[in-house]
Amino acid sequence: MFRKFALIVTVAGLAAVPARAQTPAIPSLDDWDVHDLERPQPPLVTPGEMVLIPPPSDAIVLFDGTNLDEWIHRTEEPASWIIRDGYMEVRPSSGAILTKRSFGDVQLHVEWATPNSGEGQDSGNSGVYLMNTYEVQVLNSHENVTYPDGQAASLYGQYPPLVNASRPAEQWQSYDIIFRRPHFDEAGNLTQPARVTVLHNGVLVQDNVILTGPTGHRSRPPYRAHADALPIQLQDHNEPTRYRNIWVREL
Ligand code: MG
């Protein structure tokens, strides 16, 4: 009886050790350097007509076109981006804006339009940062070529979109993002990487991809432990990109 018990304890103990020590499955992107220009350009897909998707009953409306009450600058000063005709516009060099609320797992709807100016990374560059850390790139990617892991709907520096479903600059476009946050143990070790699904103008462009870590520029930094909920950030990249109809459902 004692031996049987000991055996069970031992087996359970052995089973537990690898589970604790196991490195979470983070895909290797080593085939492609960060911002690799040799990476194939995603095929073009022309999206259907823009359809306004109003917030469902359980959504938190983050921007209804009238005010920036849900937003703040990093300095904690009130958000100073411009409001005009039902949209907000980046006030260049004013800084990113962040939600006052914090979120973990979410379904997020965002509509955006870039100016028709500049080229490459300087054509309407902005971005939606989940947890203030993981960027879904916003950029004019209609007849504007850049490195594939930095075009519109890329997970910047990591994953190009499956297809390029961009509309021309100055037209409204939509993102529907499903984000599952990373998990960390009490020692700060990653136990579950973040996962992201994105629909761009209703077209699937990121299919439950596993993030390699936070967004970096010219780098793929490793995960660093953070809170279970953090603000959503909209990036100020010095260009007057516009946003409207932003709502979120907590999952
Ligand atoms: Mg950006």
Side-chain angles (χ1 to χ4, degrees):
M1 181 65 198
F2 173 75
R3 283 180 62 190
K4 192 177 174 188
F5 178 70
L7 185 66
I8 289 165
V9 168
T10 305
V11 169
L14 283 174
V17 170
R20 269 203 306 273
Q22 198 173 32
T23 307
I26 297 176
S28 167
L29 300 184
D30 290 348
D31 285 352
W32 304 109
D33 290 335
V34 66
H35 311 324
D36 197 333
L37 285 162
E38 301 295 311
R39 212 164 171 170
Q41 290 287 332
L44 301 180
V45 169
T46 305
E49 287 294 300
M50 180 78 185
V51 179
L52 203 81
I53 304 179
S57 61
D58 63 349
I60 296 168
V61 175
L62 295 174
F63 181 63
D64 70 359
T66 64
N67 67 75
L68 292 172
D69 292 355
E70 291 281 344
W71 300 84
I72 201 163
H73 284 293
R74 275 206 192 89
T75 54
E76 299 196 359
E77 286 169 296
S80 65
W81 289 11
I82 297 153
I83 294 193
R84 189 191 300 126
D85 299 336
Y87 61 81
M88 67 163 97
E89 183 176 292
V90 177
R91 187 186 296 278
S93 302
S94 66
I97 60 171
L98 289 76
T99 54
K100 292 178 182 174
R101 302 178 203 238
S102 290
F103 301 96
D105 292 349
V106 291
Q107 174 187 346
L108 175 65
H109 180 84
V110 178
E111 297 176 14
W112 53 273
T114 68
N116 188 13
S117 59
E119 57 182 36
Q121 287 289 303
D122 296 322
S123 187
N125 196 334
S126 182
V128 179
Y129 277 74
L130 288 314
M131 304 196 89
N132 198 21
T133 304
Y134 310 99
E135 183 185 20
V136 180
Q137 172 73 311
V138 168
L139 193 75
N140 167 31
S141 288
H142 181 81
E143 298 176 359
N144 176 46
V145 173
T146 185
Y147 41 83
D149 70 10
Q151 71 176 65
S154 65
L155 296 165
Y156 189 82
Q158 299 183 26
Y159 298 96
L162 295 169
V163 295
N164 181 348
S166 295
R167 291 198 172 93
E170 297 181 331
Q171 291 189 19
W172 285 103
Q173 314 200 39
S174 66
Y175 282 161
D176 289 282
I177 300 169
I178 295 138
F179 175 75
R180 294 289 182 179
R181 70 175 177 88
H183 290 247
F184 304 92
D185 65 18
E186 291 195 354
N189 302 306
L190 181 73
T191 57
Q192 207 175 297
R195 288 176 291 127
V196 190
T197 295
V198 181
L199 286 87
H200 181 195
N201 297 325
V203 178
L204 182 68
V205 290
Q206 300 288 352
D207 187 4
N208 198 31
V209 296
I210 297 171
L211 291 180
T212 61
T215 298
H217 180 56
R218 298 181 184 169
S219 68
R220 293 189 184 123
Y223 279 95
R224 285 176 59 185
H226 56 63
D228 292 351
L230 287 167
I232 294 164
Q233 182 215 122
L234 299 179
Q235 183 186 38
D236 169 13
H237 202 280
N238 288 322
E239 287 156 61
T241 289
R242 297 170 179 175
Y243 290 93
R244 72 177 187 189
N245 190 24
I246 306 176
W247 51 261
V248 65
R249 295 179 61 245
E250 295 179 291
L251 302 177

